[in-house]
Amino acid sequence: MQIDEEQLKKHILDSGLVSRSDFNESEKKAESKKQKIGNILLSEGKISESDLKRTEAFVLGIPFVNLANEKIDFSVLSLIPEPIARNDNIVAYKKVDNTLEVAMLDVDDLPVIDFIKKRSGLKILPRLTDTFSIKAVLVQYRKSLQAEFQNIIQKESNSFETSPNEEGEKSEKELKEMAEDLPVVKIVDSLIDHAILQNASDIHIEPGEKDLTVRYRIDGILHDAMVLDKNAGAGITARIKVLSNLKLDEKRLPQDGRFKKEQDGEKISFRVSTLPTFFGEKTVMRILKENAHGFSLESLGFHGEGLERIHNSLTQKTGMVLATGPTGSGKTTTLYTMLDILNKPEVNISTVEDPIEYQMPRVNQTQVKPEIGLSFANGLRSLLRQDPDIIMVGEIRDRETAGLAVNASLTGHLVLSTIHTNSAAGAIPRLIDMGVEPFLITATVKTIIAQRLVRRLTPNKEKYFLSPAEIKSLAKIVDLDRMLGLLKDEKIVGAKDTWDKIPFYRAVKSAEYEDGYLGRVGMHEVLKVTSTIKEMIISGKSQDDIEIQAKKEGMMTMLEDGVYQTVLGVTTLEEVFRVVSE
């Protein structure tokens, strides 16, 4: 459905939307840049997007639709998943028999039209619209989902009605019947599907005095997804317990379980945790995409000297590479990415994990099961009898596991693992606290990576320059002279640039991106255990002393790496300080 450029030009002129002089000027630019006349007029503000789209629709002979104030039925809206609607600027708004009318910004996008046709099994009728309409409809996804749930709850009120006393007295059989009720099943399935579509990492289902609040953690931040009638809580919890094989009638003690599902060919694992609270059981589901792939160290945010240090440590046949940071800081993803680099036919790789977050071909992965005595330590002890070349231990959390990991690296294995500390240098006293002798640390540990995750800015971001007051404030937190030198070394800024000449960026909120961010990236510090640092460990120097020496030897601290990412326009100073302060 290619648009005829000559017809479009004629109609723009005939309609009087643009003066002839403005049109002629833009036409010359379009020809010199080999771009479409409409894009030039739009970029120069000589025509509104709505007027341009209406004109294009007229020339193509298809309707233009304005959906800014239209309320779309959720059953129709949900025929196109929200991420596809957002990424491809296409929304479903009307279904009649076996036809589906969709509003688009680009009706020439045949692959997405074909995808929607195959997914829905309907005949697709493309219509042109503008960005304002698309954004207005995108807002309806969340509101429509909640309205749909409330509608189900109202229609099936008998299924959900339950007083606090009755809830406590329900038998396991009654709870199982409630969990298998069609409206309950539909709500839980929709909650899960919607969380997956929004790339949420966790679902929180929290009972209050009068309501049931559902929140999704997206890019590390919790967002209210919807508020439901509290009467739905017992059925939803019972359904999740059935899926994860937990005791239905146990409400006094916390429980942990797991279940899996496959969606669009992707295997997804859910870790479930229930916790008794004053108003009922709270449920949290961690979402893990098992066959996620395609990561690289560069895409995770590693660069420069730090990236080179990691690659060098992965060429070693023995020793330890440790990733540190709090829960949810991306340590495991970093380890998997390193395993992917190391995963070659000539090596035997074995892991002990809790849980197995991603499944990797040719890697022998073992799930820890403390309830039957399979701990990290026991699993690692068994792995050493399996002739491994490379070992990954999900976490070093006790003296026994630490000792076995060190012994494995001493006896000809490359060991990758994680440890909970706030900085790279902090891993050394942590290992000593676990009973590892300093001389063994210097003999085994090659590289320590500390990391946090910050949210990425969307392309629609605002450039600004630091004021003198902001530069002074930043200087209290970061050594600006050193930081400027690091930026110049990596050629991120020019040799003569000063802080008032370096652009920074702010998040721009929109209907499409509520906070102005999309996805996350790591900020890191990579400590190489050099001969000087080995001497400091043996002589019992403090963590601070080791960090100072590491900086002298070229280590960029996590905070400095955060500032580096802001100068690149990847994130914001506010986001860096938020994460570092946590």
Side-chain angles (χ1 to χ4, degrees), residues 373-475:
L374 182 55
S375 63
F376 277 115
N378 290 338
L380 179 53
R381 192 178 285 109
S382 299
L383 281 191
L384 292 172
R385 296 193 287 271
Q386 292 283 313
D387 186 33
D389 299 295
I390 298 164
I391 296 170
M392 185 183 94
V393 183
E395 183 184 347
I396 295 175
R397 60 174 66 159
D398 56 45
R399 179 186 294 261
E400 187 177 11
T401 308
L404 287 167
V406 167
N407 184 61
S409 66
L410 285 171
T411 54
H413 306 91
L414 179 62
V415 179
L416 312 181
S417 190
T418 71
I419 189 169
H420 280 284
T421 63
N422 291 324
S423 66
I428 294 165
R430 178 77 179 117
L431 287 171
I432 293 172
D433 288 343
M434 288 183 184
V436 181
E437 294 291 342
F439 74 90
L440 290 176
I441 294 174
T442 61
T444 57
V445 179
K446 305 296 182 185
T447 306
I448 306 170
I449 305 159
Q451 64 183 73
R452 300 286 191 281
L453 295 176
V454 290
R455 292 179 293 169
R456 282 182 179 271
L457 283 166
T458 66
N460 184 27
K461 53 195 174 187
E462 181 186 3
K463 182 191 289 189
Y464 74 100
F465 293 90
L466 295 179
S467 67
E470 287 172 324
I471 294 172
K472 187 175 181 180
S473 178
L474 184 61

Side-chain angles (χ1 to χ4, degrees), residues 81 115 119 197 262-267:
F115 174 80
R119 182 184 177 91
L197 289 172
E262 190 166 325
Q263 182 166 302
D264 297 330
E266 187 171 40
K267 292 180 181 178

Side-chain angles (χ1 to χ4, degrees), residues 529-537 549 553:
V529 182
T530 61
S531 56
T532 306
I533 289 176
K534 287 179 181 180
E535 291 174 7
M536 296 177 76
I537 294 170
Q549 180 59 33
E553 295 178 357

